[in-house]
Amino acid sequence: MSEQKQAQQRVVVVGAGMAGVQTAVALREQGFAGAVTLIGAEPHQPYDRPPLSKAVLLGKAEDSAFDVDFEALAIELRLGLDVTGLRADAHEIDTEAGPVPYDVLVVATGAEPVTLPGTEGVPGVHLLRTLDDAARLKPVLERRHDIVVVGAGWIGAEFATAAREAGCAVTVVEAADRPLAGALPAEVAAPMARWYEESGAELLTHARVERIEPGTVHLADGRRLPADAVVVGIGARPATRWLTGSGIALEKDGSITADDRLRTSLPDVYAVGDCASFPSARYGARLLVHHWDNALQGPRTVAADIIGETPQVYDPVPYFWSEQFGRFVQYAGHHAGAAELVLRGDPADPSWSVLWLSDGALVALLAVGRPRDLAQGRKLIESGARLDPERAADAAVPLKAAVVQP
């Protein structure tokens, strides 16, 4: 693209989270000279989300605003503005303040938390997704209230960790038979149940919420749990409902169907971050990755494609981390369909890892307190390295030393 043509282009980014901010920044870093507008639904200066369940919640930080000088980068911020629709034929999006034209549109609206049916508007029921959510929960922790967490997934574990650190009595209610049931197989997730007990939190499995009243959670089996506050963490779905009627292709899970350069089915429209799924040649599957690293990496591909650089296929090794109950948990890869599971170390110990192999090649890895395993394993996944399962199972052997030489 010529500099003259580029200077006349208007790129509009919808969503001011990590994916949206990084897209705007990447455009400038890669030399884009046109207009860049970043639209965010929240009124706050764009901020990072992981600290919400830790430092911000516990009062160790006021906020987690990105350290970006938007003015110096000539990025126009339009905050506190809801986007309500997309009219691709007109190259316009609809907002509360009227239509906004674009030459190129980047959808980075992220994900929204799944709510528990029947709890909307019930006093004392909280979600934890935004800065305002954290601000509402902070005084609850300070008062050391009885708290019930619904859902023993990643966010439920992180919030329970913070609540216990604040001195609250915490009960976690999980419908499945173990924590992280939707994310990890039983032999990996079951040992994590003990982490709740060690922290002083009570974990109730096979427990379903029937209804929530102010001050009480009623379970389907008749039990009643005292609850000054209830935090619901039962998952998130792509925030794409505003695209209804736009003609954009969506998957059954609500994610925007993007290609391997994060282009959508509509001309001049890209999608990046938690709201978009992409085809992975590495894993032979379409991936929807709801994690920070995906929102950091994808924007570079989008920016390069908008500018017209050599097409850059987006096929990362997914990565995320979670801090819970005094442990640093890291995951890399995609283990669905892996044929072999290899355990490194004893899950009863403070540190251990799990490897997933497919035809001998390392495709995914979970590391608990073993950052070296993660660092080496991530590189081995990227290179498609094959491992000797017996050597890989020996926690004293560095992972890179378990590689089978061709």
Side-chain angles (χ1 to χ4, degrees):
M1 185 189 306
S2 71
E3 284 189 27
Q4 185 177 2
K5 183 180 178 184
Q6 191 186 102
Q8 296 170 346
Q9 280 221 315
R10 298 163 297 182
V11 175
V12 175
V13 183
V14 179
M18 171 62 83
V21 168
Q22 288 299 324
T23 298
V25 171
L27 282 166
R28 291 299 188 226
E29 286 180 344
Q30 296 182 29
F32 181 74
V36 177
T37 300
L38 182 63
I39 299 177
E42 294 181 58
H44 309 289
Q45 192 75 1
Y47 62 87
D48 204 4
R49 294 189 189 277
L52 297 185
S53 60
K54 308 172 187 74
V56 174
L57 198 58
L58 292 170
K60 297 176 182 177
E62 284 300 311
D63 59 34
S64 54
F66 290 114
D67 185 18
V68 175
D69 190 335
F70 294 100
E71 188 176 352
L73 291 172
I75 296 169
E76 179 191 12
L77 287 182
R78 298 190 65 181
L79 304 176
L81 184 62
D82 273 323
V83 176
T84 57
L86 164 61
R87 288 176 291 110
D89 289 346
H91 269 58
E92 287 183 342
I93 54 171
D94 291 318
T95 77
E96 294 174 315
V100 176
Y102 67 84
D103 293 305
V104 177
L105 176 68
V106 181
V107 180
T109 43
E112 56 193 8
V114 175
T115 57
L116 197 62
T119 63
E120 293 86 347
V122 177
V125 177
H126 300 263
L127 299 167
L128 181 53
R129 183 73 183 178
T130 68
L131 189 58
D132 288 340
D133 292 337
R136 283 188 287 267
L137 279 165
K138 185 179 164 187
V140 173
L141 298 195
E142 289 171 348
R143 290 195 291 268
R144 298 187 177 182
H145 278 172
D146 289 333
I147 294 177
V148 172
V149 179
V150 182
W154 298 113
I155 192 66
E158 290 184 1
F159 178 79
T161 299
R164 285 300 302 139
E165 189 175 330
C168 299
V170 178
T171 302
V172 180
V173 177
E174 171 55 53
D177 61 348
R178 61 187 186 275
L180 294 166
L184 297 171
E187 57 265 55
V188 178
M192 297 176 177
R194 191 183 68 257
W195 299 358
Y196 289 78
E197 183 182 354
E198 289 174 355
S199 78
E202 184 177 12
L203 173 63
L204 304 179
T205 54
H206 298 289
R208 292 189 177 275
V209 175
E210 184 176 82
R211 70 184 187 280
I212 298 175
E213 298 174 350
T216 307
V217 174
H218 296 261
L219 300 184
D221 61 9
R223 282 180 289 180
R224 297 182 179 183
L225 306 177
D228 297 302
V230 179
V231 176
V232 178
I234 55 174
R237 60 177 166 232
T240 56
R241 284 184 283 193
W242 66 280
L243 291 165
T244 300
S246 68
I248 199 168
L250 301 175
E251 297 294 307
K252 288 182 180 179
D253 57 18
S255 66
I256 298 169
T257 305
D259 68 7
D260 60 8
R261 284 153 61 185
L262 300 179
R263 300 172 299 184
T264 74
S265 62
L266 297 178
D268 304 316
V269 180
Y270 295 79
V272 64
D274 291 6
C275 66
S277 59
F278 57 89
S280 170
R282 185 192 308 276
Y283 291 106
R286 175 164 287 275
L287 301 185
L288 173 60
V289 181
H290 277 187
H291 296 297
W292 187 89
D293 193 64
N294 179 51
L296 177 68
Q297 304 288 349
R300 296 168 190 160
T301 294
V302 171
D305 206 70
I306 290 172
I307 291 169
E309 292 185 358
T310 305
Q312 192 178 358
V313 170
Y314 188 64
D315 194 5
V317 173
Y319 166 74
F320 71 90
W321 78 95
S322 176
E323 295 176 73
Q324 51 184 270
F325 307 118
R327 293 167 172 85
F328 188 45
V329 183
Q330 295 171 284
Y331 177 94
H334 179 67
H335 67 268
E340 186 175 2
L341 186 151
V342 176
L343 186 63
R344 279 170 65 82
D346 187 344
D349 292 337
S351 62
W352 48 282
S353 295
V354 176
L355 315 176
W356 283 271
L357 307 181
S358 183
D359 294 327
L362 182 64
V363 294
L365 173 145
L366 176 88
V368 178
R370 290 183 67 94
R372 184 174 295 179
D373 276 5
L374 191 288
Q376 292 184 12
R378 196 174 180 183
K379 292 177 181 175
L380 296 176
I381 295 170
E382 287 174 351
S383 67
R386 298 170 64 85
L387 301 184
D388 177 333
E390 287 190 17
R391 283 183 62 76
D394 185 344
V397 174
L399 269 183
K400 60 184 180 183
V403 172
V404 176
Q405 299 303 324

